[in-house]
Amino acid sequence: MQYDVLITEAAERDIEEIYNYIAEFDSPSNADNVLDQLMGVVGGLANFPERGVYPKELLALGIREYRQVFFKPYRVIYRAMEKQVVIYLIADGRRDMQTLLARRLLD
């Protein structure tokens, strides 16, 4: 079954921030490459949303409704519901993910 993949406005901002940072501090071509890779990971969820693992920060709180996939060091946090996958967060996994997840998903 094919799922529709929806990206929240917050996750779209995440993508823009990642792209702009890489373009400024590395190169636009590397930013394009990372963007393509991230979009490939996101697009792959349309066919296999169950492949993601539960984020350990949320598991510690007993929350199992969100999953994550990786394009290291980036983590894509999403939720699969019925025939939709909703992307909530795309972030560098080296950040303080506990705080970021709490702010974005639990508030």
Side-chain angles (χ1 to χ4, degrees):
M1 168 173 58
Q2 183 90 9
Y3 285 70
D4 291 326
V5 178
L6 307 172
I7 302 176
T8 62
E9 287 182 27
E12 285 180 5
R13 283 191 303 275
D14 294 338
I15 294 167
E16 288 175 21
E17 290 172 6
I18 290 166
Y19 181 89
N20 291 338
Y21 182 87
I22 295 170
E24 181 178 347
F25 293 102
D26 191 351
S27 72
S29 65
N30 283 344
D32 289 339
N33 182 49
V34 169
L35 179 63
D36 290 344
Q37 296 291 329
L38 281 171
M39 291 297 91
V41 168
V42 167
L45 293 172
N47 295 316
F48 301 109
E50 301 86 16
R51 72 183 171 130
V53 298
Y54 300 111
K56 64 182 179 192
E57 297 88 353
L58 297 177
L59 268 181
L61 300 172
I63 299 171
R64 292 179 170 263
E65 53 196 85
Y66 298 95
R67 293 180 179 260
Q68 67 182 348
V69 290
F70 300 91
F71 172 65
K72 295 213 182 218
Y74 302 102
R75 294 168 65 178
V76 177
I77 310 293
Y78 67 96
R79 188 174 176 190
M81 302 172 288
E82 299 176 19
K83 294 182 180 182
Q84 290 184 335
V85 173
V86 180
I87 309 297
Y88 290 97
L89 172 72
I90 300 174
D92 187 321
R94 298 170 290 193
R95 294 179 61 185
D96 177 3
M97 292 299 289
Q98 187 76 34
T99 301
L100 189 57
L101 289 169
R103 253 188 287 141
R104 186 76 61 90
L105 302 177
L106 304 178
D107 280 349

